Amino acid sequence: KDKTLKADHESCTHGLVVALKNVIDNQTVWQNPYTSVQDWLNSNQSGKFLSVLSNTGANDPLNNIQGYNNTKAIEAFNDNYTDESYVVQAVQKVVDYRNQVPAPGSSSGWYLPSEKELSLLCGKEVNSIYSNVGTDMRDFLNGTNGPFQKLGDSATKLRLCFYWSSTESSYYYAFDVCFDDGGVGSNNKNDGNGYRVRCVLAF
């Protein structure tokens, strides 16, 4: 469903790869101060991208695999918004990571997962991510026989904490997943506690 990914990387239809480490070891706000990315897109990039804004229904964008689209749309916002203080920090840190950790040339490059992709990284496939996502995938990746354990110092386990997605919830909020229990929700973009960021890519 990610038309932006299809247009930019038509052959990337095989699956997703998660980065071996968090973008940063500490936490970050999504955006501070905040404003609506989608409002800016509507005024400046109308029709170019799928909506990064979502309600919580089963047919809404948060249930779509479209993190590449969201990241590219937010990058356009970050690059062109007139007040640089409103940059979406969660995506800017992904761009910084992309420059530091090159991805395979045949891939999409690193991006911030959508809420759907983030839920898949934590739990299982469900039709509506407000169902019981769980932590099956997190447990596999972090487990004794999982890839992160086998890779040793080359990888870090997924923390049992909140991770930001690239899906906007409102002017004030962005979607996240709690990797402690697989809970899907949204929180204030400039939450003082900050959440973590983990990249994915399509190949």
Side-chain angles (χ1 to χ4, degrees), residues 30-45 48-49 52 69-92 95 166 168 170-171 189:
W30 200 86
Q31 182 188 44
N32 182 29
Y34 36 55
T35 190
S36 172
V37 173
Q38 189 62 51
D39 283 353
W40 182 89
L41 291 169
N42 291 343
S43 298
N44 296 275
Q45 304 280 334
K48 183 174 180 180
F49 297 104
V52 303
N69 168 88
N70 295 352
T71 301
K72 290 301 178 182
I74 295 170
E75 284 182 62
F77 169 88
N78 283 354
D79 289 343
N80 295 285
Y81 197 73
T82 53
D83 188 340
E84 291 183 2
S85 65
Y86 288 91
V87 162
V88 176
Q89 294 295 327
V91 165
Q92 184 55 50
V95 173
S166 57
E168 189 175 53
S170 71
Y171 187 98
K189 292 175 179 177

Side-chain angles (χ1 to χ4, degrees), residues 4-47:
T4 309
L5 175 62
K6 184 177 181 180
D8 291 355
H9 302 280
E10 187 174 9
S11 64
C12 291
T13 59
H14 303 94
L16 300 174
V17 173
V18 60
L20 295 180
K21 296 185 177 182
N22 291 329
V23 166
I24 51 174
D25 290 331
N26 54 5
Q27 300 169 318
T28 184
V29 298
W30 200 86
Q31 182 188 44
N32 182 29
Y34 36 55
T35 190
S36 172
V37 173
Q38 189 62 51
D39 283 353
W40 182 89
L41 291 169
N42 291 343
S43 298
N44 296 275
Q45 304 280 334
S46 181

Side-chain angles (χ1 to χ4, degrees), residues 49-147:
F49 297 104
L50 299 168
S51 176
V52 303
L53 180 72
S54 182
N55 291 317
T56 59
N59 295 317
D60 287 323
L62 89 165
N63 279 293
N64 295 340
I65 294 175
Q66 62 174 67
Y68 180 88
N69 168 88
N70 295 352
T71 301
K72 290 301 178 182
I74 295 170
E75 284 182 62
F77 169 88
N78 283 354
D79 289 343
N80 295 285
Y81 197 73
T82 53
D83 188 340
E84 291 183 2
S85 65
Y86 288 91
V87 162
V88 176
Q89 294 295 327
V91 165
Q92 184 55 50
K93 293 184 187 307
V94 169
V95 173
D96 295 342
Y97 183 86
R98 192 187 297 153
N99 292 332
Q100 296 166 8
V101 183
S106 59
S107 74
S108 65
W110 300 113
Y111 62 85
L112 184 61
S114 65
E115 186 73 350
K116 173 69 170 183
E117 289 162 318
L118 197 60
S119 72
L120 289 172
L121 182 56
C122 184
K124 60 190 176 186
E125 171 70 74
V126 290
N127 291 330
S128 174
I129 59 177
Y130 270 89
S131 306
N132 183 20
V133 171
T135 59
D136 293 357
M137 182 57 71
R138 182 211 73 189
D139 295 342
F140 164 72
L141 293 169
N142 284 355
T144 303
N145 295 314

